[in-house]
Amino acid sequence: MAGKRKTLAGIWPFLFFTPWVFWLGYYTLFVPFDILFMFLSIGIINAIQLKPLVKSPTRSVWQCILGYLLAAVAGIVIGLGAYLLCYKNIQGIARDLATWLSISIPAALVVAYYFRYILKVQVIMPEDYKSDNLPEQKVPLSNVAVLILFIGSAVLSSCGKYGYLAETEYNIEFYITQ
């Protein structure tokens, strides 16, 4: 985009507002509201910054907020579940690193696949640059499902007693162990 940038454009709103709402959620309502507030603030900031670039700004705002709400829920369920099952007895920064990776990776996958469709439909393209001419990269849903299954099984198998992933020539199976 050419021209003068708006005041709330760029990374500064993320660096200012996101930590504030994260700590607000942490110190007022505790976990998992810190994660929820953090992702919702990112969604609202993205919605505001994308408004001039989309065909339907009001619809885009709600889609953006919904996308980050779904990401927060995925991160909370998988990350905190992994924490309760596996990480709570680990000491030091390793526990925090494992927990935040377990929250961030599923949330990032939700955001990536959700916004891939939304932005393709919503973003305004210049007149001489049609989005129909772009080669589309298709990722089969089975590969996405395998990736999510692999991440989940890696988390659970890192605990040592909950399960493991076995890949055969024809399918992928997840075994629960005790």
Side-chain angles (χ1 to χ4, degrees):
M1 284 183 52
K4 186 178 177 185
R5 292 181 59 147
K6 294 189 176 192
T7 308
L8 290 176
I11 194 154
W12 297 111
F14 295 102
L15 294 176
F16 181 76
F17 291 111
T18 303
W20 278 100
V21 296
F22 172 82
W23 291 114
L24 176 73
Y26 181 78
Y27 284 115
T28 57
L29 299 171
F30 308 109
V31 177
F33 290 97
D34 54 351
I35 299 164
L36 179 67
F37 287 5
M38 178 183 67
F39 277 103
L40 286 178
S41 74
I42 293 169
I44 292 168
I45 294 167
N46 274 341
I48 292 169
Q49 290 188 0
L50 287 174
K51 266 180 117 173
L53 304 173
V54 295
K55 296 174 186 172
S56 175
T58 306
R59 184 172 156 200
S60 174
V61 166
W62 290 111
Q63 288 173 335
C64 220
I65 293 171
L66 176 66
Y68 279 93
L69 177 66
L70 293 173
V73 169
I76 289 168
V77 168
I78 294 173
L80 295 182
Y83 171 81
L84 292 174
L85 290 174
C86 304
Y87 308 142
K88 67 181 174 184
N89 295 326
I90 299 174
Q91 298 299 316
I93 197 167
R95 176 179 61 199
D96 292 337
L97 179 64
T99 302
W100 279 104
L101 282 174
S102 298
I103 293 168
S104 302
I105 291 172
L109 289 172
V110 169
V111 168
Y113 285 100
Y114 179 80
F115 282 102
R116 179 177 180 203
Y117 169 75
I118 298 301
L119 292 177
K120 181 179 177 186
V121 173
Q122 284 279 0
V123 171
I124 299 171
M125 300 299 278
E127 296 299 323
D128 57 345
Y129 193 77
K130 297 287 184 186
S131 64
D132 297 335
N133 296 338
L134 295 174
E136 185 172 333
Q137 297 176 351
K138 295 204 179 239
V139 177
L141 183 60
S142 61
N143 288 350
V144 175
V146 168
L147 177 64
I148 292 170
L149 179 64
F150 180 74
I151 290 170
S153 68
V155 167
L156 291 175
S157 65
S158 69
C159 299
K161 62 179 183 174
Y162 292 104
Y164 64 94
L165 187 69
E167 183 176 352
T168 64
E169 185 177 345
Y170 300 104
N171 61 359
I172 293 179
E173 298 173 359
F174 181 72
Y175 294 95
I176 304 293
T177 60
Q178 294 296 329

